Amino acid sequence: MLVDAGDGVVSQLLGAGIALETVHNIALTHMHWDHILGYPAFVWGSWNAGRLKLDVIGPLGTEAMHEQLVESYYREQAEWAIDLGFLRAGFDDITVRDVPVGWSREIAGCLVEAGPVYHPPMHALAFKFTYREHTLVVTGDTAKCDELIEFCRHADVVVIDACAAAPSPELAPERRRIIERLHEFHASPQDCIDIAAQAGVGKVVLTHHLPGATHNFDVSNYAGAVLIGNDMDVIAI
Ligand SMILES: [Zn+2]
Ligand SMILES: [Zn+2]
């Protein structure tokens, strides 16, 4: 299960030693560019590598994104590739579904659930994965909200948007203002710790860092572990 497909997802998967054609499920948290720019690259790269099926879920707008970024633009090239000998399977039969908060399905023994976040004006989802009584939540982009705290309750690991960190003091004032406005729809590192504490989460992984952001937070009310996530981290759940 790949969660989100930002720019560079193909090279990052290969760098992590994951064969592209073995990824058969994608959960997209929302349609902001930084979460989907690599989606067409993944569809093409994995299909050309031999992927024969793909199921994609995401919030309202996911089906339209696939239609516009893959079908509308690349259909002609796909037909050319099929003419070369690539199988239709894996391109023609990709299933893409808009799913609501509360959606759930068991995939390969893992319960996958879609949950609520606050990231206006986008339709956006968090995803929870429960496998052998171990639970991971990946929030995607979100500000702190009560519904997300409930969704994260007692999760073993929560990978969370900590984008709203204090901007670097070296930034120009107009850049600082942009980042400060982002705080309306992203959580700060302290919000993430507070969410983890209030939800009784075992380990919280802060992600979605902006260049030069500083991660100041107080963990005195949180008994769990805090990780500043980096590319290629492997986290046991
Ligand atoms: Zn976003
Ligand atoms: Zn984002």
Side-chain angles (χ1 to χ4, degrees):
M1 173 67 79
L2 173 67
V3 180
D4 284 345
D7 183 32
V9 67
V10 166
S11 50
Q12 293 291 74
L13 284 170
L14 292 173
I18 296 168
L20 300 178
E21 66 275 21
T22 65
V23 178
H24 295 154
N25 291 278
I26 300 180
L28 297 173
T29 61
H30 64 303
M31 300 302 115
H32 268 151
W33 63 273
D34 52 320
H35 298 253
I36 60 166
L37 270 183
Y39 177 76
F42 173 81
V43 167
W44 270 100
S46 57
W47 181 49
N48 285 178
R51 178 185 50 72
L52 295 175
K53 57 180 179 177
L54 185 62
D55 290 324
V56 183
I57 55 170
L60 187 64
T62 306
E63 294 171 18
M65 181 279 297
H66 179 88
E67 182 61 32
Q68 290 172 51
L69 291 190
V70 176
E71 273 297 325
S72 288
Y73 194 78
Y74 286 114
R75 168 52 61 184
E76 201 177 325
Q77 292 181 41
E79 292 300 329
W80 174 80
I82 290 162
D83 202 45
L84 280 182
F86 287 101
L87 298 176
R88 282 196 176 274
F91 197 95
D92 275 15
D93 54 358
I94 296 171
T95 63
V96 185
R97 272 169 302 159
D98 296 354
V99 301
V101 169
W103 177 91
S104 70
R105 176 151 307 176
E106 195 169 301
I107 299 172
C110 178
L111 178 65
V112 182
E113 299 169 82
V117 295
Y118 183 73
H119 193 52
M122 302 301 283
H123 297 285
L125 297 170
F127 289 100
K128 185 190 292 182
F129 304 92
T130 305
Y131 184 71
R132 295 184 181 170
E133 294 172 22
H134 293 265
T135 302
L136 163 71
V137 174
V138 181
T139 70
D141 289 2
T142 184
K144 186 170 184 256
C145 67
D146 291 343
E147 294 82 359
L148 177 64
I149 294 169
E150 206 45 54
F151 189 64
C152 292
R153 191 152 308 279
H154 304 312
D156 293 290
V157 176
V158 172
V159 177
I160 189 166
D161 167 21
C163 179
S168 160
E170 284 136 47
L171 280 180
E174 57 273 22
R175 296 286 298 178
R176 289 177 64 88
R177 264 197 299 280
I178 293 171
I179 292 173
E180 280 156 13
R181 285 213 57 203
L182 290 177
H183 291 213
E184 294 164 30
F185 7 87
H186 291 276
S188 69
Q190 188 63 54
D191 289 334
C192 298
I193 306 300
D194 294 345
I195 290 167
Q198 288 171 37
V201 167
K203 185 182 289 183
V204 63
V205 183
L206 311 189
T207 60
H208 210 310
H209 315 303
L210 295 179
T214 44
H215 296 92
N216 296 321
F217 48 80
D218 170 12
V219 293
S220 55
N221 289 325
Y222 180 50
V226 181
L227 283 180
I228 310 291
N230 286 299
D231 285 0
M232 301 299 176
D233 281 353
V234 176
I235 297 161
I237 300 164

